[in-house]
């Protein structure tokens, strides 16, 4: 790192330069050198800043930040001081602050390439593409013969929407005489990237001509062929495009994009009902050309109806049953959204099973079928009846399948799923355990077993089983589990602790899941320079676009909502003087690692370059820091982030309502209500939300009366007179929403009166297992007596007679 220090004598200048060893992670050595300088010059601002940086990297962050700030006060014009402050902020993921520091550093040293490169990466990280362009332009002007600079400029123009400028940059530099040579893979990627830019710029004919020119340079032949087919279609050269897609189908006839593209070449839209007959005709032609394609065998089921559907389904079903394909039901499950098709599939497989039982062959066959065909008929039908909620019939069929082939694992897995859907979680867990024991090396079976254990709250046993996935030589097993970033495990474990009433540990695991997505977001920083250096530009742009949607993942939203709800529960308990106390566990209650206890694991060291690092494991095993935090403030952070990344999800605005109502931010409460109404004007929670806001305005004397007037006027205009029980006679969702609001308003008896009705027949298909379990949880929370809860359980058992959870 090129830095000059003019304030120090020559000897100390040399020492200062030798102290800048942070890039090699030699923090302790650098700290000693900086302290040596400060003994003679205790007020040297740049050395103080550098020492602060070393302390921050040695986990003495508070002291480190103080020294860096002190160094900046002494010498606020120092590029070095601002630079090291920016480095620490960047390391701590404080990207906005880091950008400010780098910008200050550039005021004093505007030509510093290191700072320019780092701040350019941060601009992209924060999606400030116009500033990234300016920074990359400056770097390119300083060294136009360094590929990473002009390639970075091209990608910055790309993300800024200026495809024409990106093309000009690449065209101006790719053939420069003084450019360092690129290997064939880099040349191939750069050529395809430039072609993509021409396509994005809307000049399809030029893109086709360019694609033809670069063909000899291309290593990714499939990618080149895909671009050719797509460009021909966009250029309206459908006959040539059809030939190109035909060529691609010969490479991979299972690819949906190739099939869709071929249809478009024939002027057909697979989503248009009017084109379905023609689509079926083209699919039939393709099936003759590619008879082994499973996708082409399935597609007719998507577009045919009536007798044609039955014929196509029979062909597919018999093929799958003879082959013994366990995933047949999973493949056609999408068709069950059409009730007629779902019923037809069930009737068809029932007919197949009857034929095999009676004659050992299908009606259109002269040869006996293998005995396994009946097994797979029963296997399919068990899932079919489970889908429709007939769990007893499903169990009978799957038991028959198990008896016919006791060593086949798949039927046991389906039996476990049926028991789970029927409400027998313990039986499901035991059945999945039996399936796992048949093949202990199968990671999928072990994963399913862990899920089933967590659903019966066996968190310790689940952890011990999960350790089977961890390498034997891992320094600390529990840390390794976290590092594996299995969000399903973190969320399921959080749910288990929450059911057990251990909110602290539940929060700990929810935050672990949240941190996985934060890591995804942070990790892209490494690619801003790496991908440009390696010329993997197409993949790099894909990463940037994917990162923009990373928080839309259901696993993140589940964890964030659950964590926010836990914080709200903690806040409510504090408000009612029933503060939650973190639950302690015995240190040696269970073996946390194969190598020893958690305490021993904390002492394991991992050697770095000249340094050692203690594993940060189980410092807060009880989740105390989450419990003792400002609960409403933490809930607000999560709710606001969800509002920014998942605004289309109704649950986001229900959560925002709950948070803002407790914080007495009534205009934001109204905003949440209105946002929910825009998404779903019939949402079951809307009436109770309106009632609760009205009640809060009536009872909160601390809120200015003048501000209540427009709020009440808006509620009256948008919703009129609203009853909290609106819709509860027809919808179980409305019952649950009303009951939650009644509990929040302190009307436990009214809530219980509603909840005990949920198993009644008037709610028909709305009586799902999860909704009845939620009703059971709310009923217990309402303070209902044991007889009322017992009556509810007996009523629920009439809906789910196999359930053991009521």
């Amino acid at each position: 790192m090129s830095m000059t220090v003019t304030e120090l004598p020559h000897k100390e200048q040399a020492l200062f330069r030798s102290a800048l060893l942070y890039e090699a992670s030699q923090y302790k050595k650098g700290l000693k050198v900086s302290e040596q300088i400060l003994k003679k010059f205790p007020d040297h601002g740049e050395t103080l800043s550098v020492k602060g940086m070393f302390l921050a990297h040695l986990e003495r962050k508070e002291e480190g930040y103080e020294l860096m700030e002190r160094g900046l006060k002494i010498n606020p014009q120092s590029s070095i001081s601002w630079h090291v402050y920016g480095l620490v902020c960047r390391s701590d993921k404080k990207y906005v602050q880091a950008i400010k520091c780098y910008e200050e550093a550039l005021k004093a040293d505007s030509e510093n390439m290191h700072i320019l490169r780092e701040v350019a990466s941060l601009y992209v990280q924060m999606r400030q593409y116009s500033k990234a362009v300016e920074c990359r332009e400056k770097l390119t002007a300083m060294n136009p013969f360094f590929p990473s600079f002009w390639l970075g400029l091209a990608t910055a123009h790309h993300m800024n929407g200026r495809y024409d400028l990106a093309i000009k940059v690449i065209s101006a530099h790719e053939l420069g005489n003084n450019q360092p040579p690129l290997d064939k893979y880099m040349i191939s990627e750069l050529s395809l990237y430039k072609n993509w830019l021409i396509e994005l710029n809307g000049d399809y004919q030029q893109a086709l001509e360019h694609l033809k020119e670069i063909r000899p340079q291309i290593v990714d032949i499939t990618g080149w062929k895909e671009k050719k087919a797509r460009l021909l279609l966009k250029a309206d050269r459908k006959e040539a495009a059809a030939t190109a897609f035909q060529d691609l189908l010969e490479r991979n006839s299972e690819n949906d994009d190739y099939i869709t593209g071929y249809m478009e070449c024939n002027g057909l839209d697979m989503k248009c009902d009017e084109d379905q007959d023609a689509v079926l005709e083209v699919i039939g032609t393709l099936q003759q050309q590619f008879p082994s394609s499973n996708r082409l065998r399935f597609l007719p089921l998507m577009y045919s109806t009536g007798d044609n559907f039955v014929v196509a389904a029979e062909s597919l079903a018999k093929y799958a049953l003879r082959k013994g394909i366990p995933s047949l039901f999973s493949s056609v499950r999408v068709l069950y959204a059409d009730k007629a098709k779902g019923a037809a599939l069930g009737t068809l497989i029932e007919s197949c099973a009857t034929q095999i039982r009676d004659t050992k062959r299908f009606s259109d066959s002269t040869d006996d079928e293998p005995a396994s065909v009946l097994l797979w008929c029963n296997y399919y039908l068990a899932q079919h009846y489970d889908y429709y909620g007939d769990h007893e019939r499903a169990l009978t069929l799957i038991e028959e399948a198990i008896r016919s082939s006791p060593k086949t694992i798949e039927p046991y897995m389906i039996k476990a799923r049926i028991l789970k859907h029927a409400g027998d979680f313990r039986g499901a867990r035991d059945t999945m355990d039996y399936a796992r024991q048949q093949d202990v090396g199968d990671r999928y079976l072990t994963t399913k077993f862990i899920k089933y254990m967590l659903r019966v709250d066996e968190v310790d046993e689940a952890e011990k089983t999960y350790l089977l996935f961890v390498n034997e030589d891992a320094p600390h097993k529990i840390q390794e589990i976290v590092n594996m970033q299995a969000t399903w495990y973190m969320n399921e474990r959080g749910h288990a602790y929450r059911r057990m009433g251990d909110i602290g540990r539940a929060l700990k695991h929810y935050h672990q899941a949240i941190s996985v997505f934060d890591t995804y977001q942070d990790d892209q920083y490494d690619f801003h320079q790496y991908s440009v250096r390696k010329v993997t530009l197409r993949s790099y742009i894909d990463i940037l676009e994917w990162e923009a949607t990373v928080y839309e993942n259901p696993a993140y939203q589940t964890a964030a909502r659950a964590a926010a709800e836990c914080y709200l529960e903690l806040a409510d308990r504090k408000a009612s003087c029933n503060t939650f106390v973190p639950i302690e566990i015995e240190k040696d209650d269970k073996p946390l690692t194969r190598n020893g206890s958690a305490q021993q694991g904390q002492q394991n060291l991992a050697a770095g370059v000249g340094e050692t690092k203690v594993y940060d494991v189980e410092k807060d095993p009880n989740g105390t820091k989450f419990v003792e935090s400002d609960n409403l403030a933490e809930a607000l952070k999560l709710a606001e982030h969800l509002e920014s990344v998942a605004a289309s999800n109704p649950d986001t605005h229900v959560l925002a309502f709950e948070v803002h109502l407790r914080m007495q931010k009534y205009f934001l409460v109204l905003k949440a209500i209105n946002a929910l109404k825009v998404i779903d004007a019939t949402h079951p929670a809307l009436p109770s939300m309106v009632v609760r806001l009205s009640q809060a305005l009536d009872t909160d004397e601390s809120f200015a009366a003048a501000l209540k007037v427009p709020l009440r006027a808006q509620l009256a205009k948008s919703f009129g007179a609203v009853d909290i029980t609106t819709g509860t006679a027809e919808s179980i969702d409305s019952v649950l929403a009303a009951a939650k609001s009644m509990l929040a308003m302190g009307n436990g008896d009214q809530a219980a009166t509603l909840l005990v009705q949920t198993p009644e027949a008037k709610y028909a298909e709305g009586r799902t297992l999860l909704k009845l379990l939620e009703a059971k949880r709310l009923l217990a929370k309402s303070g209902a007596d044991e007889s009322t809860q017992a009556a509810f359980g007996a009523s629920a058992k009439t809906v789910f007679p196999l359930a053991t959870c009521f």
Side-chain angles (χ1 to χ4, degrees):
M1 187 172 177
S2 58
M3 296 181 180
T4 59
V5 184
T6 58
E7 306 88 43
L8 296 174
H10 179 74
K11 180 181 178 180
E12 278 67 29
Q13 287 186 35
L15 281 174
F16 185 87
R17 292 189 181 93
S18 69
L20 299 177
L21 301 171
Y22 60 88
E23 290 178 339
S25 300
Q26 297 183 12
Y27 306 129
K28 288 184 178 179
K29 185 176 179 180
L31 180 62
K32 289 180 180 178
V33 174
S34 60
E35 288 175 341
Q36 185 178 347
I37 298 172
L38 289 171
K39 285 180 181 179
K40 291 185 178 181
F41 303 94
D43 293 327
H44 186 251
E46 292 173 337
T47 306
L48 285 169
S49 295
V50 171
K51 180 183 177 181
M53 176 186 65
F54 290 135
L55 290 174
H57 284 299
L58 290 169
E59 304 303 324
R60 294 163 63 181
K61 291 189 180 296
E62 185 175 348
E63 186 179 353
Y65 274 102
E66 288 177 1
L67 279 177
M68 287 187 290
E69 290 169 2
R70 182 181 161 196
L72 283 170
K73 286 182 180 178
I74 293 173
N75 189 355
Q77 306 301 321
S78 169
S79 171
I80 294 174
S81 296
W82 283 111
H83 189 181
V84 296
Y85 199 0
L87 287 170
V88 175
C89 290
R90 189 199 72 190
S91 177
D92 290 342
K93 319 301 183 188
K94 301 176 181 178
Y95 298 124
V96 174
Q97 183 65 27
I99 288 174
K100 292 179 181 178
C101 292
Y102 284 133
E103 288 175 343
E104 290 293 330
L106 287 171
K107 290 179 182 178
D109 188 3
S110 60
E111 302 296 320
N112 190 308
M113 282 193 182
H114 296 281
I115 300 176
L116 286 168
R117 291 177 68 179
E118 289 166 12
V119 75
S121 295
L122 283 171
Y123 284 142
V124 177
Q125 180 83 6
M126 301 306 294
R127 303 304 188 260
Q128 298 178 18
Y129 294 123
S130 58
K131 288 186 177 181
V133 167
E134 294 176 9
C135 200
R136 299 282 192 192
E137 284 178 338
K138 193 167 186 177
L139 283 167
T140 303
M142 292 168 65
N143 188 352
F145 306 117
F146 191 46
S148 291
F149 289 171
W150 56 266
L151 289 173
L153 176 58
T155 57
H157 279 309
H158 181 160
M159 295 307 296
N160 202 36
R162 292 302 306 270
Y163 310 122
D164 55 333
L165 296 180
I167 295 167
K168 287 181 180 179
V169 169
I170 294 177
S171 299
H173 293 87
E174 62 181 337
L175 299 177
N177 294 330
N178 295 318
Q179 293 293 337
L182 302 177
D183 64 36
K184 62 179 182 180
Y185 299 103
M186 292 180 176
I187 293 172
S188 173
E189 280 296 307
L190 180 57
S191 299
L192 287 172
Y193 176 64
K194 182 180 179 181
N195 187 267
W196 184 26
L197 288 171
I198 298 171
E199 177 188 352
L200 291 173
N201 203 39
D203 195 340
Y204 304 131
Q205 188 56 44
Q206 183 186 348
L208 281 168
E209 293 171 2
H210 177 260
L211 196 66
K212 185 177 180 180
E213 292 174 8
I214 65 175
R215 175 62 183 84
Q217 304 171 359
I218 301 304
V219 176
D220 181 6
I221 303 302
T222 300
W224 185 89
K225 289 178 176 287
E226 288 175 346
K227 288 194 71 67
K228 178 183 176 182
R230 184 170 63 244
L231 286 169
L232 286 168
L233 184 58
K234 288 184 175 181
D236 204 26
R237 295 170 57 182
K238 293 184 177 179
E239 186 175 345
T243 302
F245 277 113
Q246 181 84 17
D247 182 31
L248 287 169
L249 284 167
E250 290 176 1
R251 283 173 167 260
N252 181 5
S253 59
E254 306 290 342
N255 190 301
D256 273 344
D257 291 337
Y258 299 168
I259 297 171
T260 302
Y262 186 80
M263 293 293 178
E264 291 177 3
C265 294
N266 287 276
L268 301 175
D269 182 354
M270 297 179 74
K271 297 180 180 179
C272 178
D273 293 339
E274 296 177 356
D275 290 346
Q276 287 190 2
D277 290 340
V279 166
L280 285 170
E281 184 178 346
V282 174
I283 291 174
T285 303
L286 290 174
Q287 278 184 303
Q288 294 176 4
Q289 297 177 39
F290 309 105
S292 62
S293 172
N294 290 321
R295 188 59 183 167
L296 290 171
R297 191 178 287 112
F298 170 76
L299 281 176
L301 278 68
M302 294 287 293
Y303 302 104
S304 57
T305 56
D307 293 340
N308 291 333
F309 172 80
V310 174
V311 171
E314 185 175 9
S315 174
L316 173 65
K318 289 180 178 178
Y319 169 82
L321 293 171
R322 285 171 174 147
K323 289 283 188 180
I325 299 176
S327 60
L328 174 60
F329 182 82
S330 299
S331 299
V332 301
R333 181 170 178 169
V334 65
L335 302 173
Y336 276 66
D338 184 327
K339 292 183 178 180
K341 289 185 177 181
L345 285 167
T347 302
L348 172 64
I349 305 298
E350 287 275 20
S351 175
C352 290
T354 301
Q355 292 170 30
I356 297 298
R357 287 193 188 96
D358 294 345
T359 65
K360 297 184 179 180
R361 67 184 62 170
F362 293 125
S363 58
D364 59 351
S365 175
T366 58
D367 298 324
D368 288 351
E369 301 294 341
S372 62
V373 171
L374 183 57
L375 159 68
W376 297 114
C377 285
N378 289 327
Y379 181 82
Y380 180 97
L381 288 170
Q383 295 174 83
H384 171 82
Y385 285 108
D386 178 50
Y387 178 88
Y388 287 114
D390 190 348
H391 302 120
E392 292 177 271
R393 174 66 174 151
L395 278 175
T396 300
L397 288 163
I398 205 64
E399 290 286 5
E400 183 179 341
I402 290 172
R403 285 194 298 271
S404 66
S405 182
K407 294 184 178 181
T408 303
I409 296 175
E410 285 82 2
Y412 293 102
M413 297 174 64
I414 296 304
K415 180 181 177 181
R417 182 189 300 170
I418 294 168
L419 289 170
K420 179 188 72 173
H421 293 165
D424 185 359
F425 299 138
R426 173 62 58 178
R429 178 254 184 230
D430 293 342
T431 304
M432 188 59 73
D433 186 24
Y434 182 84
R436 182 181 73 95
Q437 295 297 337
Q438 308 311 302
D439 186 0
V440 293
D442 190 312
R443 296 173 70 89
Y444 177 74
L445 287 172
T446 303
T447 296
K448 296 297 290 184
F449 177 51
I450 292 170
K451 278 189 175 182
Y452 278 62
M453 280 197 292
L454 289 171
R455 285 167 183 163
V456 293
D457 302 338
E458 292 182 352
V459 289
D460 293 347
E461 292 302 316
E463 182 180 272
K464 293 176 184 177
T465 306
Y466 197 94
L467 287 172
L468 295 172
F469 295 144
V470 178
N471 293 331
E472 287 287 348
D473 58 351
H476 198 292
K477 307 301 182 183
I478 304 305
Q479 183 64 46
E480 192 70 13
I481 289 177
V482 176
N483 293 343
M484 291 171 72
Q485 298 185 326
T487 54
W488 65 266
Y489 175 75
M490 297 168 182
N491 279 338
E492 289 289 349
R493 187 158 178 163
H495 297 337
Y497 276 125
R498 191 178 177 190
R499 287 192 296 269
M500 295 162 65
D502 194 342
I503 304 175
R505 286 189 182 81
L507 277 169
K508 176 181 175 180
H509 289 285
Y510 290 139
H511 275 284
Q512 285 178 353
I514 291 169
S515 70
V516 169
F517 294 92
D518 293 337
T519 300
Y520 292 160
Q521 190 75 5
D522 294 332
D523 282 352
Q524 67 178 301
Y525 182 86
D526 297 328
F527 291 95
H528 299 319
Q529 294 186 27
Y530 174 84
S531 296
V532 173
R533 188 171 70 252
K534 293 295 185 180
V535 200
T536 55
L537 305 178
R538 293 182 298 161
S539 299
Y540 173 57
I541 298 300
D542 288 342
I543 287 174
L544 294 180
E545 291 175 348
W546 175 78
E547 289 284 0
T549 63
V550 67
Y551 288 111
E552 295 176 11
N553 189 294
Y556 169 78
Q557 295 184 31
T558 296
R561 280 198 303 272
E565 289 167 0
C566 286
Y567 282 123
L568 291 178
E569 183 176 349
L570 289 171
D572 290 345
R573 292 183 64 158
K574 287 179 182 178
S576 61
C577 300
N578 182 27
T579 304
F580 173 81
V581 178
I583 300 172
E584 300 287 341
I585 60 171
E586 296 294 330
K587 293 292 184 182
D588 296 323
D589 184 52
K590 59 185 178 70
L592 291 178
T593 74
R594 292 176 182 165
N595 295 342
S597 69
Q599 290 172 310
Q600 292 170 331
Q602 277 187 299
Q603 306 306 316
N604 286 320
L605 300 179
V609 182
E611 308 291 342
T612 57
K613 178 183 177 181
V614 179
Y615 277 86
D616 183 17
V617 181
E618 298 290 63
K619 287 186 177 180
D620 183 20
N622 308 317
T624 304
K625 73 173 183 178
F626 302 112
V627 173
E628 294 178 351
S629 65
D630 185 339
N631 302 142
L632 284 179
E634 293 300 319
L636 179 62
K637 289 178 186 177
L638 293 167
E640 287 179 339
H641 193 244
L642 283 170
E643 284 182 303
S644 67
V645 301
S648 61
N649 189 331
D651 293 337
T652 295
H653 303 291
V654 174
L655 174 64
F657 166 87
E658 296 289 350
V659 175
H660 295 313
L661 187 66
R662 286 167 174 79
M663 300 184 77
Q664 299 174 308
K665 297 180 178 180
Y666 299 124
F667 283 97
L668 293 178
V669 172
L670 180 60
K671 178 184 175 183
I673 294 174
N674 288 333
L676 180 60
K677 183 182 178 183
V678 169
I679 296 172
D680 183 1
T682 62
H683 193 281
L686 272 174
S688 55
M689 291 165 70
V690 172
V691 170
R692 287 176 64 189
L693 175 56
S694 298
Q695 186 199 53
L697 293 174
D698 292 340
T699 58
D700 188 354
E701 297 179 358
S702 64
F703 192 68
L707 296 177
K708 293 181 180 180
V709 175
L711 284 169
R712 289 196 177 101
Q714 184 62 47
L715 284 177
K717 179 180 178 181
S718 300
F719 300 97
V722 177
D723 190 326
I724 197 170
T725 60
T726 299
T728 56
E730 301 84 21
S731 168
I732 194 171
D733 291 317
S734 296
V735 171
L736 296 175
K740 289 177 184 178
S741 292
M742 290 173 178
L743 290 173
M745 295 163 66
N747 300 327
D749 291 342
Q750 293 181 22
T753 301
L754 279 177
L755 291 167
V756 294
Q757 303 174 25
T758 51
E760 294 180 1
K762 64 181 179 180
Y763 295 116
E765 295 179 358
R767 299 173 298 173
T768 65
L769 180 65
L770 292 178
K771 289 175 183 177
L772 290 181
L773 285 174
E774 176 67 2
K776 176 189 174 184
R777 184 186 71 83
L778 294 173
L779 188 62
K781 191 175 179 180
S782 72
D785 56 41
E786 292 184 3
S787 61
T788 301
Q789 295 187 51
F792 171 86
S795 182
K797 287 275 286 185
T798 63
V799 184
F800 292 93
L802 301 176
T804 59
C805 53
F806 292 115

